[in-house]
Structure formats: C-alpha cells, structure tokens
Amino acid sequence: MCCCCPSAIQALFCLWVQSGFSKGSVAGALTFFPPEPPLYEFERCDKDGNALDDDEHDENGEMVEAYKDEHGEEKGELAIPTGAAPTVGEQSKKRNETNNNDKKKKKKQKSPAAQLTERAKLLRSRSKERNARDKADAKAGVTYTLRLDPRLPNPPSYGAPVEAVKIPSKDGTFIATVVYKVPEDHVTPETKTIIYSHGNATDVGAMYPLQAMLVQSLLCHVVSYDYSGYGESGGVAMEANTYKDIAAVYDYTLKNVAEGVASNIILYGQSVGSGPSCHLACKNDDIGGLILHSPFTSGMRVLTPSRALACLDIYPNINRITKVKCPVMVIHGVLDEEVDISHGKAMHNAVPPDLRREPWWVKDRGHNDITEGPGKMAEYLRRLR
C-alpha cells in the first residue's frame, strides 16, 4: 500500500478522523516502521540478579500474528511425500480445500483503513501493558541485560561493559537505552559522548555492531535508544513522543555518563533521527556538536516539494537547523533514493556559516550503506574524528 493510491489515502483519512484529527497519528503511520519482532530483548533481573519470567514473552508474536491475519496468510499444508502420487480422490479433496482456503482468505482480507485502525489499537493496548510493567519494574528495582537476536552476527567485543537501562520520560513512558562506555583507563575530562538517534526501520539491537565500533575506534561513550513504540520502549511511535524520548535520554546522559559536561555531548541523528536531534539541538545551547546522517529538510518534503500539505508536515529540520549554536556536520549518500541528497545539501547550507563543518557527500553510496564496502568504515571513522 503506497501513500499515493486511493485506498491508502482513504485509510489515512479514516485514521486521522478516528484519532481525533491528530496529525501525529497520520505522520506516525507514514514514518515509523519498528522491526517486528525486535532484534534484541532486555532480560529482566531482580535485585539479587535472578532472571525474571517475562510476562510479555508472546507480545511480539501477537504483533506478527496480527500482521499475518491482516494479509490473509495461513500456514501451508503438509506436502505429499516424494514418490507418492496423489489419488483422484485426494486431488479432488485438495482442490476443495484450496477453494475453501481461498474463500477464507478473501473473508480475512481487510481494507487498508481497517488494517491501520486495528494496528493502531493493538499498539495502544501494547503500550498500556508495557508502561504498567515498566513502572512496576522501576518500583521493584528490576535491572536489565541486553540480549541480541540470534539472527544478528556475533558482535565485536571492545573490552567494556554494555549497560541496558530504561529511562523514564516526562509522560511516564520508559525508553529502552543501551549505554556503551569507554574503558575506565581511557576516560579523560575531554571524553565525548554520542547520543545516537537511529533510522525509522531499525532498533538498538541492529545498531549494536556500529555503536561498539564507534566506542572502540573513537574512544567515546555512545548512548543508543529506541523511540517510543520501538523494541523494549513503551509508548507509541509519534513525532511528539520522539522529542520527549531524546530529552529524557539527554538528561540521563548528562547526569550519568557525561558527568555534567554538556559540551562533551554530541547528538547524532540518522535519517528520521535527524528530527529529534535537530529539535533538541536548536533548544539547547550547551550541546557540543550535531552530526546529521542522511537527514531530510522535513518529513513531508521527502514525499513532495509542494507545501499544499504543510499542515501535515513533521520534523521541520530546515527551520530548526538555522537556530543551532553548535558545530554541525552533514553526511549524505549521493545515490540516496529514499532521501535525495538535495535534502542533505540544503541542511548543510542552512547551518550558520561559522558552525558548518566539512560535509561528506559519499559518491557511490545510498541511504543505508554509507559504511559498507572496502575502506568505507575507515573513512567514516576518520571523518568523525
């Protein structure tokens, strides 16, 4: 379902009406695509370090099953063993079963509007359950351990512990956060801390290898978090919630990682992560720097340069970048087909001249592959230094 087809427009309109004319709900349906199931989990432990049973262990399974139901997918029948030819009766029976299954699938198929509405309800329900559990965990002193999905490659080890924490935001949502610290014997008063806001279709589990590489190569702390509605975070994915998320993560980082030195904190926003990063940077004059990786000028401008739908626009980065008070570096792939490089160049040009740092226009790379290929990771790390 693309956002240009009539059924999609009808679905978005219905969602807009049912959400009480909430621009955020419509923008969220178009913008946020958290991995389902997530590529990590937080193992819960009591005060004595004993693992706790996860009462939400089937939560992600419910999401996957709901998705399958929406698309009419069913489990296939067992195949006849090789070498055994089906009889006429078996063939007739199989045809009847196939016809019945086709009818069931047609009945199960729902309109785009119904799909979006059901998904929104399911996400809100999951959010309430997750928030209630996280509040109880915080009260009981529960701690967390990061467990990566086995589908991911074995992560590199950089000789320092990785902390998994849940940070409460002002609205009571708890934000799943992973803290990578430089080994103590390498920490200095000038050690930087990167707060990393990732893209819209990934999570902190998938980002683990890159974050570990940054810590090891740049000798900086890295704080990576999942937006509301992503992974182990509570809440629902919406533009306004991402602002609350990064504000909570910043406050935690300033106190617990950067030792109160705001100028040692660097905001890093990749793709949709450029939105919350620009929002915080234009409001906080003490931040030490801002890195924008494949940023966009605003959410709606990615779809169309027309301002006819400006009332539904989100993340007006092009307006906010003019108000930052810290150095800004822009990274963008020349071959980017998701967010055209013109967005990155416009963002770079809008930065106050004295705060612009040399951009990196990556000639042979697109939206998600800037560090891939011979020598790319080394050049990426060199430029970040």
Side-chain angles (χ1 to χ4, degrees):
M1 179 180 72
C2 75
C3 62
C4 301
C5 63
S7 59
I9 294 174
Q10 180 188 22
L12 292 172
F13 178 77
C14 290
L15 180 61
W16 182 53
V17 173
Q18 292 175 358
S19 65
F21 304 101
S22 168
K23 178 187 75 171
S25 295
V26 176
L30 289 172
T31 306
F32 302 106
F33 303 94
E36 295 290 355
L39 295 171
Y40 74 102
E41 64 179 16
F42 277 4
E43 182 179 85
R44 301 162 61 237
C45 300
D46 62 21
K47 290 182 178 180
D48 298 323
N50 301 313
L52 297 172
D53 290 335
D54 190 347
D55 53 8
E56 285 186 331
H57 68 278
D58 61 342
E59 173 187 278
N60 297 313
E62 290 178 1
M63 288 294 297
V64 173
E65 289 305 317
Y67 179 85
K68 287 182 179 179
D69 288 344
E70 289 172 2
H71 292 75
E73 296 178 6
E74 296 181 336
K75 294 180 180 179
E77 299 292 330
L78 289 175
I80 297 174
T82 303
T87 66
V88 174
E90 289 173 335
Q91 289 178 332
S92 176
K93 181 180 178 182
K94 188 169 183 64
R95 279 196 299 269
N96 290 335
E97 290 176 348
T98 300
N99 291 334
N100 289 334
N101 287 338
D102 289 342
K103 290 178 181 178
K104 289 179 181 179
K105 287 182 180 180
K106 288 181 179 179
K107 289 181 180 179
K108 285 187 176 183
Q109 287 177 347
K110 300 174 183 177
S111 67
Q115 291 179 29
L116 280 178
T117 301
E118 263 193 27
R119 179 171 174 78
K121 288 181 179 178
L122 186 58
L123 290 174
R124 286 195 295 270
S125 175
R126 183 175 75 168
S127 170
K128 290 180 181 179
E129 293 176 1
R130 173 65 60 78
N131 289 345
R133 191 193 70 176
D134 287 345
K135 287 179 182 177
D137 281 356
K139 190 174 182 179
V142 170
T143 58
Y144 305 94
T145 301
L146 176 67
R147 301 297 183 199
L148 296 178
D149 191 287
R151 290 172 291 174
L152 296 173
N154 291 328
S157 173
Y158 64 96
V162 176
E163 301 174 12
V165 297
K166 289 200 174 184
I167 301 172
S169 68
K170 289 183 178 180
D171 66 356
T173 297
F174 285 75
I175 308 304
T177 306
V178 181
V179 181
Y180 308 78
K181 288 187 177 181
V182 175
E184 289 187 9
D185 56 344
H186 287 85
V187 176
T188 72
E190 288 75 38
T191 296
K192 306 298 182 186
T193 300
I194 292 176
I195 296 179
Y196 200 109
S197 301
H198 60 63
N200 70 336
T202 188
D203 60 27
V204 296
M207 298 304 298
Y208 186 104
L210 178 62
Q211 317 299 6
M213 181 71 72
L214 292 175
V215 176
Q216 185 177 36
S217 301
L218 304 181
L219 289 180
C220 66
H221 307 306
V222 176
V223 178
S224 181
Y225 68 101
D226 262 348
Y227 310 121
S228 293
Y230 276 65
E232 290 276 355
S233 289
V236 177
M238 295 176 64
E239 177 195 11
N241 288 344
T242 64
Y243 300 150
K244 297 174 185 176
D245 298 341
I246 195 171
V249 172
Y250 172 80
D251 289 343
Y252 176 90
T253 301
L254 181 63
K255 179 180 179 181
N256 298 282
V257 184
E259 298 185 354
V261 184
S263 60
N264 279 342
I265 295 178
I266 310 296
L267 303 182
Y268 190 121
Q270 180 174 3
S271 190
V272 75
S274 62
S277 296
C278 285
H279 180 268
L280 181 59
C282 80
K283 291 179 173 294
N284 190 319
D285 295 345
D286 300 323
I287 289 171
L290 173 63
I291 300 170
L292 299 176
H293 180 151
S294 304
F296 47 74
T297 52
S298 75
M300 193 57 68
R301 286 183 174 94
V302 176
L303 301 177
T304 173
S306 171
R307 303 310 292 148
L309 296 176
C311 61
L312 293 177
D313 206 359
I314 61 171
Y315 295 129
N317 295 337
I318 193 66
N319 300 328
R320 291 169 175 163
I321 198 65
T322 63
K323 302 173 184 177
V324 299
K325 298 295 190 296
C326 64
V328 180
M329 175 188 180
V330 179
I331 302 170
H332 213 116
V334 174
L335 303 182
D336 195 328
E337 295 181 352
E338 296 182 43
V339 179
D340 190 81
I341 192 174
S342 60
H343 286 260
K345 290 186 175 181
M347 291 292 290
H348 172 72
N349 292 332
V351 176
D354 59 318
L355 298 175
R356 292 177 197 159
R357 295 298 180 263
E358 181 183 1
W360 184 25
W361 312 127
V362 192
K363 294 182 179 180
D364 54 351
R365 289 294 179 270
H367 192 68
N368 295 312
D369 60 353
I370 282 176
T371 61
E372 296 177 10
K376 290 300 180 185
M377 178 61 78
E379 184 175 5
Y380 169 74
L381 295 170
R382 179 181 65 78
R383 288 178 178 269
L384 290 185
R385 287 191 178 95

